[in-house]
Amino acid sequence: MQNPYVPAPVEVIKIVTEVDTKDIKTFRFAFLNEEDEAAFQYLPGQFGELSIFGKGESPIGIASSPTQKGYIEFTVQRAGVVTSALHDMEVGAVMGVRGPLGNSWPIDYLAGKDIVIVGGGFAFTTLRSLINYMIHPDNRSRFGKITVIYGARNPGLLIYKDELEAWGKRDDINLNVTVDKGDATWKGREGFVPTVCKEVAPSSENAVTVICGPPIMIRFTLPVFFELGFSKENIITSLEMRMKCGIGKCGRCNVGEKYVCKDGPVFSLAELDKLTKEY
Amino acid sequence: MEKRLIKKESLAGVIAELAGKMRVCAPMQAEDQVLFRVLEPSERPLVDFANTKNAPKNFLFPRTETLLKYTRTPKGMVAAGGAEEGMKTLFFGCRPCDARSFKLLDMLFDQEKYQDPYYIDKRAKTTVVAMACVHPPYTTCFCTSVGGNPTDSEGADVLLTDLGDQYLAEFITPKGEELLAAFGGTPAGVEAEKAKEGIAAQASSEIASTVPAREAKPVLDVRFEDPFWSTLHQKCLACGTCTYLCPTCHCFDISDEVKRNDGIRIRNWDSCMFPLFTKETSGHNPRPSQKERWRQRVMHKFRYYVDNFNAIACVGCGRCVMACPVNMDIRKIVADIVKL
């Protein structure tokens, strides 16, 4: 019997500090055992338990795309015991990853449709995974138009800056990056994400929107998409809850009868409507 | 199914002898209470008792359990072995409600996807010898309301029934039949079966509490937001005793402990009654008060478990009712819900 509580050992092979405040970093891990790497078959939207012996575990969305071979990436904010220990690590350190856990963005459902990605702040990690997955040459033809609306409070808090620049140069992504308030060097768009969504006004015809961000952003963005004609089935998001086991046993991440760890974290708005409002 | 008659005076000795050959957990007097615990070799268990204060789940899903071990290296902590394998175990004297709790725990820990190897290993190595309740021991017993019965064998490998002058032993499963030689006895005839039937009917009728547990589900389905929940929790102290004594509560926490260069990852019983259970690092808590925690406890047992496993996660043992320091009574709560 495979033991789902045992993490696969990984080595930290790259660390990127994403933001000016230095409290959000992207960690790239390489598996130490080939069989663990082969077993870690994931899709965008899934998560892993980052496991540091002596500190504990933290459930974090996978930021890399399965089309990126040889490593996995997680973008992590320094917050509690485990993420602080992770932030103190250097390249070459060895730790563990359990997973992949949870469901994923509904790739088969997204296929053949226009995709509108809406992200806010640091909640852009599994969306980045999805974007990189969709624009991979093997997959790009499976998806229609890709529109990305991504915002942060200020330019220094945008993550994946190099990729944003690269995506901006492509003609098969309609990329809209915005900040609440720019600074002296900022030449891009200013404005809150819901406002920008209204301005960009993506068509809801054969389209799905995938939204991740702080609750306040989601609250004001949803009405915009309802107005654009998106049905609740075609608005998809990802939930967060406190987790321990990640496999539906330890009993704390349930929303109604569903466990966010194994039945989620990805739900459509139509699915969330059927659940209790306790998250 | 093999059925035997066992002499009353020989039973404790049979179990005491088995305690020298394997781990035997059984009811034992501990000052003024009866606890389910591991016997020393040749220690004789209680055969005449009401029920144990603690539920037997501790020996399948321990209060504290090592998941894995690790040790320090220059590159960081690395794995250094797993948990110890479970040993061959006999549970003696589980009441039918508690024997049934194992079936309910199996649903969670032994799912098709994500099996829990620690629980499954111990469960596979455990044989359950249950003791029917000829006279249900407490007025708080309500097993018949939640799918059980005082003389039922669900979850048991062997069921013992006190016929007055001797025990009827029913060897229900192949695991149970492995104990045939140890138990000895004489083949039971039609007369013993008749006696058992009479006892079963009498025992069921002696259950004093009835709880509309099945009727609660459709009400809970539509009453997540209801003023009732604000009336329920106010005297609750959040001590967690109800969840710790509950034979089916299974929530746990995972934490790390390090001494110098060696560490272990352990899991400990946790409780939905505790404020920190769902509190996130950001400070956000989706269940911010005891109101939401009580709603979760009731919903989990009488609605969500039914949704997920088609079973009520309560065996009607009444421990939570008896032990609650402020007299919260799940029987009354469920009865009140049905009236909403």
Side-chain angles (χ1 to χ4, degrees):
Chain A
M1 191 189 311
Q2 199 246 338
N3 187 333
Y5 295 96
V6 175
V10 295
E11 185 178 331
V12 181
I13 57 169
K14 189 181 173 191
I15 302 173
V16 175
T17 303
E18 296 283 357
V19 291
D20 290 354
T21 46
K22 295 186 168 47
D23 63 343
I24 297 174
K25 292 181 181 176
T26 297
F27 297 86
R28 180 176 289 186
F29 300 120
F31 287 97
L32 294 185
N33 303 321
E34 272 175 37
E35 59 272 24
D36 289 336
E37 183 173 355
F40 201 96
Q41 297 291 330
Y42 68 100
L43 284 172
Q46 287 192 283
F47 70 98
E49 284 276 2
L50 301 189
S51 185
I52 302 178
F53 289 143
K55 299 294 177 185
E57 297 186 316
S58 190
I60 307 282
I62 305 170
S64 54
S65 157
T67 51
Q68 297 166 276
K69 302 292 180 198
Y71 60 86
I72 49 173
E73 287 182 340
F74 295 83
T75 303
V76 183
Q77 181 171 36
R78 181 193 281 266
V81 173
V82 177
T83 54
S84 294
L86 182 61
H87 269 251
D88 291 339
M89 282 189 167
E90 290 170 5
V91 168
V94 170
M95 50 174 282
V97 174
R98 286 201 291 128
L101 300 168
N103 63 359
S104 67
W105 299 121
I107 299 294
D108 291 338
Y109 184 71
L110 301 181
K113 299 189 177 72
D114 290 350
I115 309 299
V116 183
I117 307 266
V118 181
F122 146 64
F124 193 53
T125 62
T126 61
L127 296 178
R128 175 227 198 187
S129 169
L130 178 61
I131 295 167
N132 280 326
Y133 180 85
M134 291 191 298
I135 65 174
H136 189 269
D138 291 352
N139 299 327
R140 185 62 191 90
S141 61
R142 293 174 64 202
F143 303 93
K145 276 191 257 172
I146 299 175
T147 305
V148 177
I149 297 156
Y150 172 49
R153 282 193 313 239
N154 61 58
L157 292 180
L158 290 165
I159 60 175
Y160 311 133
K161 290 187 188 71
D162 292 349
E163 270 170 316
L164 292 176
E165 203 181 322
W167 295 341
K169 290 179 185 146
R170 297 175 66 115
D171 54 10
D172 63 346
I173 303 181
N174 174 8
L175 180 70
N176 304 272
V177 178
T178 181
V179 294
D180 297 353
K181 194 162 171 37
D183 55 22
T185 59
W186 180 249
K187 296 195 178 60
R189 194 191 278 260
E190 274 191 30
F192 294 118
V193 165
T195 316
V196 174
C197 290
K198 213 178 236 175
E199 289 164 10
V200 173
S203 163
S204 59
E205 172 109 24
N206 192 35
V208 180
T209 179
V210 184
I211 304 182
C212 256
I216 188 84
M217 181 203 93
I218 292 182
R219 203 173 117 204
F220 287 102
T221 303
L222 289 180
V224 177
F225 279 89
F226 291 147
E227 206 160 295
L228 289 166
F230 283 82
S231 68
K232 287 183 170 181
E233 285 74 21
N234 289 332
I235 299 176
I236 292 162
T237 189
S238 182
L239 293 188
E240 281 187 335
M241 289 284 268
R242 184 168 191 201
M243 293 175 189
K244 287 286 177 175
C245 71
I247 54 174
K249 311 268 182 252
C250 79
R252 74 199 63 227
C253 74
N254 69 298
V255 176
E257 76 278 14
K258 300 285 185 201
Y259 283 93
V260 172
C261 68
K262 75 174 179 63
D263 303 312
V266 172
F267 296 95
S268 72
L269 210 52
E271 288 169 323
L272 287 183
D273 268 0
K274 286 186 208 140
L275 295 181
T276 61
K277 304 285 168 286
E278 197 172 52
Y279 43 85
Chain B
M1 189 203 313
E2 180 86 18
K3 296 183 184 187
R4 297 269 182 90
L5 290 169
I6 315 280
K7 283 202 182 85
K8 276 201 114 164
E9 59 276 17
S10 71
L11 182 62
V14 167
I15 303 304
E17 194 163 316
L18 286 168
K21 295 175 183 156
M22 61 180 88
R23 184 172 79 147
V24 174
C25 309
M28 291 296 287
Q29 195 70 39
E31 298 184 340
D32 62 345
Q33 56 194 3
V34 176
L35 293 179
F36 197 73
R37 69 155 169 89
V38 179
L39 299 190
E40 300 295 328
S42 81
E43 213 175 11
R44 294 164 74 89
L46 288 182
V47 293
D48 200 8
F49 59 96
N51 197 3
T52 53
K53 176 104 179 172
N54 56 336
K57 72 175 177 186
N58 186 37
F59 300 96
L60 294 173
F61 167 54
R63 225 161 18 190
T64 293
E65 176 169 37
T66 300
L67 300 181
L68 44 90
K69 299 173 183 167
Y70 43 84
T71 190
R72 199 182 301 280
T73 72
K75 286 193 150 189
M77 291 282 194
V78 298
E84 281 156 33
E85 293 246 321
M87 52 184 126
K88 196 169 160 64
T89 298
L90 178 78
F91 284 1
F92 169 77
C94 294
R95 290 302 185 185
C97 54
D98 289 339
R100 212 175 143 253
S101 76
F102 309 139
K103 288 284 187 190
L104 293 164
L105 292 173
D106 290 348
M107 292 171 187
L108 180 98
F109 285 117
D110 197 0
Q111 292 174 52
E112 209 175 310
K113 201 180 175 192
Y114 296 137
Q115 299 195 311
D116 188 287
Y118 307 97
Y119 174 89
I120 291 171
D121 173 53
K122 291 186 192 66
R123 180 79 166 101
K125 290 170 179 161
T126 299
T127 304
V128 178
V129 177
M131 180 78 85
C133 297
V134 173
H135 299 291
Y138 307 112
T139 55
T140 49
C141 290
F142 60 99
C143 60
T144 47
S145 293
V146 287
N149 192 283
T151 56
D152 204 17
S153 65
E154 197 181 350
D157 299 296
V158 178
L159 179 68
L160 300 170
T161 306
D162 187 344
L163 299 182
D165 48 351
Q166 50 198 340
Y167 290 103
L168 170 67
E170 296 168 272
F171 296 82
I172 296 144
T173 66
K175 239 194 216 175
E177 282 170 0
E178 286 173 25
L179 292 171
L180 273 168
F183 272 75
T186 53
V190 183
E191 213 169 295
E193 275 177 43
K194 277 244 166 75
K196 159 103 200 259
E197 276 170 33
I199 285 169
Q202 172 68 20
S204 293
S205 73
E206 283 180 28
I207 293 280
S209 294
T210 53
V211 180
R214 287 188 196 80
E215 293 86 329
K217 158 81 168 131
V219 182
L220 292 171
D221 278 341
V222 296
R223 296 281 185 174
F224 187 80
E225 301 291 348
D226 194 284
F228 170 75
W229 300 113
S230 303
T231 67
L232 177 63
H233 64 283
Q234 290 174 352
K235 64 180 178 178
C236 176
L237 305 172
C239 69
T241 297
C242 50
T243 55
Y244 276 42
L245 294 181
C246 178
T248 65
C249 274
H250 53 260
C251 292
F252 60 85
D253 185 29
I254 299 178
S255 57
D256 283 50
E257 279 182 4
V258 181
K259 274 186 192 157
R260 296 179 67 89
N261 291 323
D262 296 295
I264 49 174
R265 180 160 292 162
I266 55 177
R267 69 169 163 197
N268 299 308
W269 290 355
D270 207 341
S271 171
C272 59
M273 293 285 108
F274 298 158
L276 292 181
F277 186 58
T278 48
K279 189 166 181 179
E280 295 164 17
T281 309
S282 65
H284 171 66
N285 193 342
R287 295 180 205 139
S289 79
Q290 211 60 15
K291 170 189 152 182
E292 291 82 10
R293 294 168 208 140
W294 254 101
R295 181 171 61 188
Q296 162 67 16
R297 177 165 164 78
V298 174
M299 288 272 177
H300 192 194
K301 292 195 173 300
F302 296 94
R303 173 179 160 185
Y304 306 151
Y305 223 73
V306 181
D307 282 329
N308 288 330
F309 303 115
N310 198 23
I312 293 169
C314 170
V315 294
C317 69
R319 284 186 178 89
C320 58
V321 182
M322 285 188 280
C324 180
V326 294
N327 296 323
M328 301 279 291
D329 189 333
I330 195 76
R331 297 170 301 169
K332 180 167 188 316
I333 291 167
V334 172
D336 286 348
I337 286 168
V338 172
K339 286 185 223 142
L340 289 178

